[in-house]
Amino acid sequence: MRLSKDDRLCYISLTIREPVERASSLSEQTTEKRRILVVDDDVDFVTDIVTNLESRGYSVRSAGSVAEARLLLSKFTDELVLLDLLLPGTNGRVLCCEIAENTQAGIIVVSAVDSDSERIALLDFGADDYIVKPFNMLELQARIRAYFRRSKKQTLGSSPKFGPWRLCENDRHLLHDDGRLVTLTPSEALVMRLFAANPGIVFDRQDLLAVSRIRQHVGRNDRSIDNLIRRLRIKIEADPADPFHLKTVWGRGYVFDL
């Protein structure tokens, strides 16, 4: 989506000499060449983003449409995708689902669409984070660093096993003893790891909302966690209507049994 010149100026905040910026610059000098794909049709915005991230040591490619992004994703293994929603032709929401289902890349939605329902839907579809345009470039850098920190911790962690299932090393898949591989959305994976690491502990909806990172966009009557639990039961339970692993504790929340 194309932004005005004034909006684009919000991204060029690198001349602000704040201690936090100097500290982050020092820490990023040792950053590995992480691979990032920017999907946006605003040429000026993409140029700003690519220039900034490359100066921070990232390897960055860009695509102006879903079709172009699909081609790049088929040729290269990108670790993170910065995805706009309002793209020419196929909508960015479709690509978000495809990336979550078919690749190991993380997804940060970068969009001018500022809607609670849209954020909840995209996080549910598989996005790892959502930032609204216009934003401070320092915030985007911080969110990118946070994603890679979480990714590193998950990679270094163990692979919990329960029943016939094992969480794969990247946490985005479940492997069954019979060889079946089931894909998890980022929110499902975060909740699944929490349960597998804490069997017998009851977690209420607020706990699970916090872990799944959809906590800031929901109301008291939101059913996001109930829907997430329902999807997990369909994926891991022999009988989702009578679950063995993922059980409801009425009036309290949910508990996981190995």
Side-chain angles (χ1 to χ4, degrees):
M1 178 179 179
R2 192 169 294 276
L3 297 176
S4 69
K5 181 178 179 181
D6 289 338
D7 282 341
R8 288 198 297 272
L9 290 177
C10 294
Y11 300 97
I12 311 303
S13 57
L14 301 177
T15 57
I16 302 174
R17 303 302 182 184
E18 298 177 352
V20 64
E21 180 184 7
R22 292 196 296 270
S24 64
S25 296
L26 288 173
S27 66
E28 287 183 346
Q29 288 176 3
T30 58
T31 300
E32 299 177 8
K33 279 281 186 178
R34 299 287 197 175
R35 300 177 300 278
I36 299 176
L37 174 63
V38 181
V39 185
D40 198 299
D41 64 329
D42 185 334
V43 176
D44 292 331
F45 168 75
V46 170
T47 299
D48 291 342
I49 293 289
V50 171
T51 299
N52 180 270
L53 294 183
E54 286 183 340
S55 73
R56 294 305 191 263
Y58 297 102
S59 174
V60 188
R61 277 180 285 272
S62 64
S65 67
V66 170
E68 189 178 353
R70 285 170 175 160
L71 181 61
L72 290 176
L73 288 166
S74 69
K75 292 183 177 180
F76 304 101
T77 305
D78 292 294
E79 298 173 86
L80 179 64
V81 179
L82 305 183
L83 175 63
D84 188 21
L85 298 179
L86 304 180
L87 297 167
T90 305
N91 193 285
R93 298 173 188 83
V94 175
L95 184 61
C96 178
C97 295
E98 293 178 2
I99 294 171
E101 290 293 328
N102 302 318
T103 80
Q104 303 305 315
I107 306 166
I108 297 180
V109 174
V110 181
S111 176
V113 179
D114 186 9
S115 160
D116 285 352
S117 60
E118 188 72 16
R119 297 184 200 191
I120 293 169
L122 267 295
L123 291 167
D124 234 7
F125 288 160
D128 295 274
D129 203 349
Y130 194 117
I131 184 170
V132 178
K133 299 177 181 177
F135 52 81
N136 189 308
M137 182 66 77
L138 296 178
E139 181 182 357
L140 178 62
Q141 293 169 10
R143 288 174 183 260
I144 290 172
R145 291 194 300 269
Y147 168 77
F148 283 127
R149 282 198 303 271
R150 292 193 300 268
S151 178
K152 182 178 180 180
K153 288 179 181 178
Q154 291 176 355
T155 300
L156 294 176
S158 59
S159 299
K161 190 174 191 306
F162 55 96
W165 296 98
R166 181 181 296 277
L167 265 174
C168 294
E169 183 176 308
N170 56 32
D171 287 347
R172 291 289 293 275
H173 294 86
L174 285 167
L175 179 64
H176 195 276
D177 287 343
D178 64 10
R180 281 181 288 152
L181 196 65
V182 174
T183 300
L184 301 175
T185 69
S187 294
E188 291 170 355
L190 289 167
V191 170
M192 195 69 253
R193 172 165 282 278
L194 175 71
F195 277 131
N198 299 277
I201 303 297
V202 178
F203 293 98
D204 63 25
R205 286 185 177 83
Q206 292 305 311
D207 295 329
L208 300 177
L209 283 169
V211 169
S212 64
R213 300 202 303 275
I214 56 178
R215 61 193 180 281
Q216 58 186 336
H217 308 300
V218 298
R220 177 175 298 180
N221 298 319
D222 182 80
R223 310 304 293 178
S224 297
I225 288 300
D226 298 321
N227 291 333
L228 186 150
I229 295 296
R230 177 182 55 79
R231 294 198 308 271
L232 283 175
R233 284 173 172 162
I234 291 173
K235 293 180 178 183
I236 69 172
E237 299 286 1
D239 181 3
D242 184 21
F244 175 82
H245 297 292
L246 195 45
K247 300 177 180 178
T248 300
V249 180
W250 297 108
R252 296 180 60 192
Y254 299 96
V255 65
F256 189 78
D257 287 335
L258 297 176

